[in-house]
């Protein structure tokens, strides 16, 4: 739920996906990328991690990012724990989310498992995905061999009814799909995918009652600078 308080806007963005798809690594890389100059956002403080001794996420990770100019938008960014048995925890972390970034482990043999997590997300969000909550897809680990690509995932989204036909005005809100690598030294599309989600959450907010309209695209340029 976008919160506007004392002239500041607080937005919650959530990285969602199966165990070990790279969500924590993405948040770490995003943190390092935005610590450098030249981005629209900068991290505030450190990333909070609630993890097991093995380093896998136990509950969630959380990072706070602030828009640079003007300095009034704050993105509270979470990752969920992808462990199968933790779906109740995922549900809790999902509450109040304004934008979702679904992180798939793109290795071909994991496609079905990724889809299970997409289904779980869809069922939790009760038809709000795309209509009320923008959805961005990351096909992560593209540096590995034998990975699924954008076209394969578009077919998945169509089957799951998370895709609007190109004939409709609303198809501009179709999930944007990024082929990514989260490893810092081979990083690909980590900032871009976050930025697109952040931008869409603001565009959705300015739309009528959270409903999106193609007219909102006019605000794109303004919001790109946030
Ligand atoms: N090759 C490769 N490995 C990755 C990538 N992203 C994450 N990993 C590795 O995958 C493992 C799980 O990553 P992690 O971020 O903990 O996954 P999470 O469970 O989704 O938070 C770690 O060993 C990461 O280094 C990537 O883009 N490429
Ligand atoms: Mg994690």
């Amino acid at each position: 739920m976008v919160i506007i308080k004392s002239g500041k806007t607080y937005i919650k963005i959530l990285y969602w996906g199966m165990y070990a798809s790279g969500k924590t690594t993405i948040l770490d890389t995003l943190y390092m990328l935005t610590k450098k100059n030249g981005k629209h956002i900068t991290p505030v403080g450190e990333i909070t991690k609630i993890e097991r001794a093995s380093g896998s996420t136990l509950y969630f990770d959380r990072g706070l990012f602030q828009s640079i100019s003007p300095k009034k938008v704050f993105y509270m960014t979470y990752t969920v724990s992808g462990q199968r048995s933790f779906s109740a925890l995922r549900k809790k972390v999902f509450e109040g989310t304004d934008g979702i970034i679904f992180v798939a482990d793109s290795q071909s043999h994991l496609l079905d498992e990724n889809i299970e997590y997409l289904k779980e997300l869809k069922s939790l969000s009760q038809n709000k995905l795309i209509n009320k909550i923008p959805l961005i897809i990351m096909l992560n680990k593209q540096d590995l061999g034998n990975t699924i690509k954008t076209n394969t995932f578009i077919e998945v989204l169509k089957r799951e009814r998370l895709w609007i036909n190109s004939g409709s005005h609303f198809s501009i809100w179709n999930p944007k799909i990024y082929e990514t690598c989260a490893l810092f030294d081979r990083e690909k599309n980590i900032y871009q995918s976050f930025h697109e989600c952040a931008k869409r959450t603001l565009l959705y907010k300015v739309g009528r009652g959270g409903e999106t309209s193609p007219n909102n695209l006019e605000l794109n340029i303004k919001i790109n600078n946030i």
Side-chain angles (χ1 to χ4, degrees), residues 24 57 61 79-80:
T24 300
T57 306
D61 310 306
T79 77
V80 292

Side-chain angles (χ1 to χ4, degrees), residues 25-40:
T25 312
I26 288 166
L27 190 59
D28 282 338
T29 296
L30 182 69
Y31 181 90
M32 289 189 274
L33 289 173
T34 54
K35 262 204 130 170
K36 297 190 212 157
N37 292 334
K39 301 285 190 278
H40 296 112

Side-chain angles (χ1 to χ4, degrees), residues 163-182:
W163 193 261
I164 303 161
N165 289 333
S166 56
S168 160
H169 281 320
F170 291 96
S171 64
I172 55 164
W173 300 114
N174 270 330
K176 190 155 177 183
I177 301 174
Y178 292 86
E179 295 176 5
T180 67
C181 174

Side-chain angles (χ1 to χ4, degrees), residues 15-29 49 51 54-57 61 79-83 103-105 107 139-144 180-184 186-188 190:
Y15 285 100
W16 181 281
M18 63 176 281
Y19 169 75
S21 61
K23 302 173 293 296
T24 300
T25 312
I26 288 166
L27 190 59
D28 282 338
T29 296
K49 292 184 180 174
E51 60 189 9
S54 65
S56 73
T57 306
D61 310 306
T79 77
V80 292
S81 165
Q83 309 280 347
V103 182
D105 186 327
Q107 298 176 84
L139 302 180
N140 196 37
K141 304 198 184 181
Q142 288 291 325
D143 55 303
L144 300 177
T180 67
C181 174
L183 304 177
F184 185 64
R186 271 170 281 172
E187 175 274 318
K188 186 178 163 199
I190 299 304

Side-chain angles (χ1 to χ4, degrees), residues 15-23 26 101-108 110-118 121 135-144 147-149 152-153 156-157 177-182 190:
Y15 285 100
W16 181 281
M18 63 176 281
Y19 169 75
S21 61
K23 302 173 293 296
I26 288 166
I101 304 176
F102 180 85
V103 182
D105 186 327
S106 309
Q107 298 176 84
S108 299
L110 295 174
L111 182 59
D112 288 346
E113 224 170 326
N114 284 302
I115 294 171
E116 273 179 46
Y117 282 78
L118 186 67
L121 172 64
L135 177 64
I136 299 295
I137 309 287
M138 296 175 80
L139 302 180
N140 196 37
K141 304 198 184 181
Q142 288 291 325
D143 55 303
L144 300 177
T147 51
I148 53 159
K149 305 290 179 210
T152 306
F153 213 81
V156 170
L157 292 171
I177 301 174
Y178 292 86
E179 295 176 5
T180 67
C181 174
I190 299 304

